[in-house]
């Protein structure tokens, strides 16, 4: 697939030339291998996963044979354990290399690739917080690709508000795998919650532990994390039942389940309740699960960047091949031209290029920070990485449909499916609105300010280097002006009522995200400022376009934040 080769070229520039992955030989080999496998085993059944969704048959979910074959091939190469330490069965590859590899599979088939993201994140939580026995039993098979993992947080009446979960866990003794519990409750929106690909499924379940008086803590107090496998160590089935499948707009290749734990149809060891083992101390579940949630948020951004970039490259190919209309500067009698010659199409293509290359830079920079263990800056940027990438690549997907015209609205081309798949990314793993509140309130206004100062220092350093080049000096000044506006806006928002801050949190994230992406696009040009090859010339054009056409948008977003009447206009709920 041509788009995979194009994506690999862009990724190689980012991780080798810009971010400087130290082991380029290994990284190159992994990327080459990933592109071939994605092309041969993931891409061919992309459309099939959408038209033939997984089915619930006699309590088990059946997926396509093509999905099974793809995951078997991925597991055979040992890639599930790629980023883990060798002493627990991993390959110890850099996070940057693993993220770049995942982009190939997400671009080829986002639904099937989701098993990879969820299983790796599940195993990482276990490897980080669990006992050696739990790591060996539950994480080891996942790193081998024999077992898959899920994250079970949301419930039918508790989505983003995890304090409201009602799933409970009752003590049930202990054994070689730790403190054992019986888990009762319902979980919703569980991707991969049931499937017939892997030998077993390890559910990481958030639940409130029941104390000796039969009570559970209110709010987030008492929320613990439990390992609840589909198949128990003795080979018998656990009391985990699929209540139904959620039929989605897109992302259909991976089943999305409603799960019942401890429903009673199955009684392990003659008692009701799904058997689970607690990870770590009681009441630590939410903190532990944030590791998986944050990894999943980076994974969401990688998936968004991948499908956005694929749509961009496919609409670029279509624009070059589709002949229609006269050139803008020709006489009426001239011949027809490819639609890429039309100014409006050129504008849309450049927007796509900026959004998608910006998202790739943002997500892989986050992987770079993770690899270097720069936790403070990574924590600050994670809401932007997840939200900006998913929102603006979705805009790129929308433009891809527009460029295809009427054909883009049909199933004859992939762009409509890519849009439907990407539409989930601003929603799951914490909606973009939740991410915006997290950024503004928790990370910035209530944070210690160290990460924000560090970000400002890096932006200033890039601007200082850019000033040394005549063709970038104006961009440097625009970048600093944008960052200063963000800082001024933060001070303004400190002084307003909380409702007004929450009202403007999402526009603030967009504004800060635009400045951060502008910084990264400019920083990339400094890799080799005198490089005049076609790839770098295209990046220079895209960077200058973003600064001229996109960055000025933050002025309007910020100006609106000083208008309290906007909040007042929406506060009369009964008048909507």
């Amino acid at each position: 697939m041509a788009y995979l080769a194009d994506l690999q070229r862009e990724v190689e520039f980012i991780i080798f030339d810009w971010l400087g992955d130290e082991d380029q030989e290994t990284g190159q080999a992994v990327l080459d291998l990933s592109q071939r496998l994605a092309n041969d085993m993931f891409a061919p059944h992309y459309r099939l996963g959408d038209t033939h969704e997984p089915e619930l048959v006699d309590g088990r979910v059946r997926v396509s044979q093509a999905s099974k074959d793809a995951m078997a091939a991925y597991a055979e190469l040992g890639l599930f354990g790629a980023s883990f330490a060798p002493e627990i069965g991993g390959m110890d590859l850099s996070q940057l290399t693993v993220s770049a590899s995942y982009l190939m599979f997400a671009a080829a088939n986002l639904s099937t690739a989701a098993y990879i993201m969820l299983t790796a994140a599940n195993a990482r939580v276990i490897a980080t917080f669990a006992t050696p026995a739990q790591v060996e039993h539950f994480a080891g098979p996942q790193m081998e690709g024999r077992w898959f993992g899920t994250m079970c947080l949301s419930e039918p009446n508790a989505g983003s508000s995890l304090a409201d979960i009602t799933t409970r866990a009752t003590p049930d003794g202990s054994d070689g795998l730790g403190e054992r519990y019986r888990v009762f409750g319902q979980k919703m929106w569980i991707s991969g919650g049931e499937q017939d690909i892997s030998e077993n499924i390890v559910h990481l379940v958030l639940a409130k532990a029941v104390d000796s008086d039969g009570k559970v803590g209110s709010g987030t107090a008492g929320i613990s994390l439990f390992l609840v496998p589909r198949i128990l160590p003795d080979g018998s089935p656990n009391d985990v039942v699929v209540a139904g499948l959620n039929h989605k707009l897109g992302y259909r290749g991976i089943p999305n389940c409603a799960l019942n734990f401890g429903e009673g149809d199955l009684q392990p060891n003659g008692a009701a309740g799904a058997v689970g083992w607690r990870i770590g101390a009681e009441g630590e579940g939410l903190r532990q699960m944030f590791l998986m949630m944050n990894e999943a948020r980076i994974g969401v951004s990688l998936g968004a960047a991948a499908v956005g970039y694929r749509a961009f490259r496919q609409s670029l190919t279509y624009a070059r091949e589709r002949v229609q209309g006269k050139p803008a500067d020709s006489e009426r009698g001239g011949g027809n031209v490819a639609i890429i010659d039309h100014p409006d199409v050129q504008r849309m293509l450049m927007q796509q290029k900026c959004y998608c290359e910006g998202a790739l830079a943002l997500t892989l920079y986050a992987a770079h920070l993770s690899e270097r263990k720069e936790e403070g800056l990574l924590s600050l940027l994670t809401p932007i990485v997840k939200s900006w990438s998913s929102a603006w690549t979705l805009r790129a997907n929308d433009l891809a449909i527009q460029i295809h015209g009427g054909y883009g609205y049909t199933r004859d081309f992939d762009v409509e499916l890519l849009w439907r798949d990407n539409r989930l990314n601003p929603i799951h793993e914490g909606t973009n609105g939740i991410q915006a509140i997290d950024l503004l309130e928790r990370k910035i206004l209530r944070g210690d300010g160290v990460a924000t100062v560090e970000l400002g220092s890096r932006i200033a350093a890039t601007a200082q280097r850019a000033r040394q080049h005549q063709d970038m000096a104006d961009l440097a000044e625009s970048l600093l002006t944008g960052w200063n506006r963000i800082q001024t806006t933060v001070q303004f928002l400190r002084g307003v009522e909380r409702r007004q801050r929450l009202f403007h949190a999402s526009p603030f994230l967009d504004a800060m995200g635009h400045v951060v992406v502008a910084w990264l696009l400019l920083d990339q040009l400094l890799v080799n400022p005198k490089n005049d090859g076609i790839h770098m010339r295209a990046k220079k054009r895209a960077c200058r376009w973003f600064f001229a056409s996109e960055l000025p948008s933050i002025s309007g977003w910020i100006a609106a934040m000083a208008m309290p009447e906007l909040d007042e206009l929406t506060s009369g709920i009964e008048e909507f």
Side-chain angles (χ1 to χ4, degrees):
M1 305 291 178
Y3 64 85
L4 286 174
D6 295 331
L7 176 60
Q8 181 173 349
R9 180 190 62 187
E10 179 64 21
V11 168
E12 287 171 354
F13 166 78
I14 292 173
I15 67 173
F16 300 140
D17 299 338
W18 180 44
L19 296 175
D21 193 341
E22 295 179 359
D23 191 354
Q24 182 169 343
E25 182 178 355
T26 299
Q28 187 68 62
V30 171
L31 270 180
D32 290 343
L33 184 66
S34 299
Q35 196 217 119
R36 287 197 299 272
L37 183 59
N39 185 79
D40 295 344
M41 300 298 293
F42 282 67
H45 69 279
Y46 178 54
R47 179 64 70 171
L48 177 68
D50 182 69
T51 56
H52 294 77
E53 296 182 57
E55 296 179 320
L56 180 59
V57 180
D58 297 328
R60 293 296 307 276
V61 174
R62 310 298 183 190
V63 303
S64 71
Q65 185 61 45
S67 294
K68 297 177 184 178
D69 294 341
M71 298 316 300
Y74 187 90
E76 186 176 355
L77 295 174
L79 291 174
F80 276 105
S83 63
F84 291 87
E87 51 266 29
I88 59 172
M91 298 170 65
D92 203 26
L93 295 182
S94 75
Q95 192 62 45
L96 195 54
T97 296
V98 172
S99 297
S101 167
Y102 178 73
L103 280 166
M104 298 297 148
F105 299 103
N109 193 323
L110 186 60
S111 294
T112 300
Y115 292 112
I116 300 169
M117 175 186 73
L118 290 166
T119 299
N122 181 300
R124 199 172 322 281
V125 171
I126 299 170
T128 303
F129 297 111
T131 66
Q134 290 172 339
V135 172
E136 180 180 2
H137 184 81
F138 293 107
Q142 292 191 73
M143 288 184 280
E144 295 171 6
R146 295 188 295 110
W147 296 6
F148 288 179
T150 74
M151 54 191 301
C152 298
L153 287 71
S154 297
E155 298 180 1
N157 295 309
S160 299
S161 181
L162 294 176
D164 297 330
I165 66 171
T166 59
T167 299
R168 68 191 192 281
T170 303
D172 187 42
S174 62
D175 55 32
L177 291 174
E179 297 296 319
R180 193 177 61 243
Y181 288 74
R182 294 285 176 153
V183 179
F184 301 86
Q186 296 178 313
K187 292 294 181 178
M188 188 66 162
W189 314 118
I190 311 305
S191 293
E194 165 59 24
Q195 37 76 15
D196 59 347
I197 303 175
S198 61
E199 300 170 12
N200 202 352
I201 302 173
V202 180
H203 302 292
L204 282 178
V205 181
L206 278 184
K208 293 182 178 179
V210 179
D211 63 21
S212 57
D213 296 326
K215 298 179 180 179
V216 297
S218 61
T220 59
I223 292 181
S224 300
L225 186 60
F226 300 90
L227 291 156
V228 184
R230 181 180 68 184
I231 304 297
L232 292 167
D234 65 2
S236 64
N238 206 350
D239 195 1
V240 182
V241 177
V242 183
L245 294 179
N246 297 306
H247 299 285
K248 301 169 289 181
L249 172 71
Y251 228 115
R252 293 173 174 170
I254 183 171
N256 188 273
C257 306
L259 296 180
N260 290 345
F261 292 84
E263 191 175 62
D265 290 347
L266 301 169
Q267 296 198 347
N269 300 319
V275 177
W277 289 265
R278 195 185 70 218
I279 296 179
E282 191 172 299
E284 290 292 306
L286 208 53
R287 182 182 68 84
Q288 295 164 346
M289 204 60 176
F290 265 116
L291 177 68
M292 184 172 187
M293 285 190 282
N294 285 330
E295 181 167 340
R297 286 163 183 166
I298 301 300
V300 165
S301 70
L302 287 166
V307 297
Y309 192 84
R310 172 176 173 175
F312 161 53
R313 299 307 303 190
Q314 290 185 323
S315 57
L316 176 60
T317 298
Y318 181 85
R320 286 169 171 164
E321 296 174 350
R322 173 66 165 162
V323 175
Q324 185 167 262
K326 304 293 189 292
D329 56 356
S330 74
E331 296 296 329
R332 184 175 284 272
N336 288 348
V337 295
I339 63 172
I340 196 172
D341 287 332
H342 300 314
D344 187 55
V345 173
Q346 293 169 355
R347 175 187 56 79
M348 289 189 286
L349 287 168
M350 184 58 82
Q351 285 180 276
Q352 285 182 283
K353 180 178 176 67
C354 290
Y355 300 152
C356 298
E357 291 186 5
L360 287 171
L362 190 56
T363 56
L364 290 173
Y365 186 74
H368 179 63
L369 293 176
S370 176
E371 178 68 24
R372 295 165 61 90
K373 302 192 184 309
E374 296 190 51
E375 300 298 337
L377 189 52
L378 176 61
S379 177
L380 173 67
L381 290 178
T382 294
I384 296 175
V385 174
K386 190 273 180 185
S387 298
W388 194 96
S389 298
S390 60
W392 293 92
T393 59
L394 184 63
R395 173 61 176 149
N397 286 121
D398 184 75
L399 290 168
I401 294 173
Q402 190 70 21
I403 289 170
H404 280 72
Y407 287 109
Y409 198 64
T410 71
R411 295 185 181 183
D412 296 334
F413 291 84
D414 289 338
V415 288
E416 59 85 25
L417 175 52
L418 292 166
W419 182 91
R420 287 191 284 114
D421 280 354
N422 207 6
R423 187 61 190 85
L424 178 63
N425 288 323
I427 299 171
H428 68 161
E429 308 308 341
T431 66
N432 284 7
I434 295 293
Q435 300 301 314
I437 294 170
D438 180 49
L439 172 68
L440 180 58
E441 288 214 309
R442 194 163 73 88
K443 302 294 175 57
I444 294 179
L445 297 182
R446 295 206 301 266
D448 59 16
V450 173
T452 305
V453 170
E454 175 61 23
L455 177 59
S457 296
R458 296 190 185 194
I459 288 173
T462 295
Q464 181 59 33
R465 290 166 56 212
R467 281 192 181 117
Q468 311 307 312
H469 304 277
Q470 186 174 359
D471 60 340
M472 299 184 206
D474 60 325
L475 302 181
E477 297 308 316
S478 294
L479 177 61
L480 291 175
T481 298
W483 178 246
N484 288 337
R485 295 212 66 180
I486 295 299
Q487 296 297 90
T488 302
T489 303
V490 168
Q491 295 308 313
F492 167 75
L493 292 173
R494 283 187 190 277
V496 303
E497 293 183 359
R498 185 167 188 261
R499 176 183 163 82
Q500 191 174 350
R501 285 202 303 272
L502 297 180
F503 186 86
H504 293 298
S506 289
F508 174 82
L509 185 148
D510 280 338
M512 187 169 172
H514 265 48
V515 172
V516 170
V517 169
W519 161 52
L520 298 178
L521 292 177
L522 179 57
D523 198 74
Q524 288 184 348
L525 301 189
L526 297 170
V527 170
N528 186 354
K530 296 183 179 179
N531 184 335
D532 198 38
I534 187 170
H535 182 247
M536 188 56 71
R537 288 203 310 272
K539 295 195 78 65
K540 289 177 179 178
R541 286 174 176 266
C543 179
R544 187 161 286 280
W545 167 276
F546 191 84
F547 272 76
S549 182
E550 298 293 332
L551 194 57
S553 299
I554 73 170
S555 297
W557 298 333
I558 289 174
M561 295 178 198
M563 300 177 182
E565 61 268 26
L566 294 182
D567 179 21
E568 294 168 3
L569 289 170
T570 63
S571 60
I573 298 175
E574 71 282 355
E575 298 174 4
F576 267 98

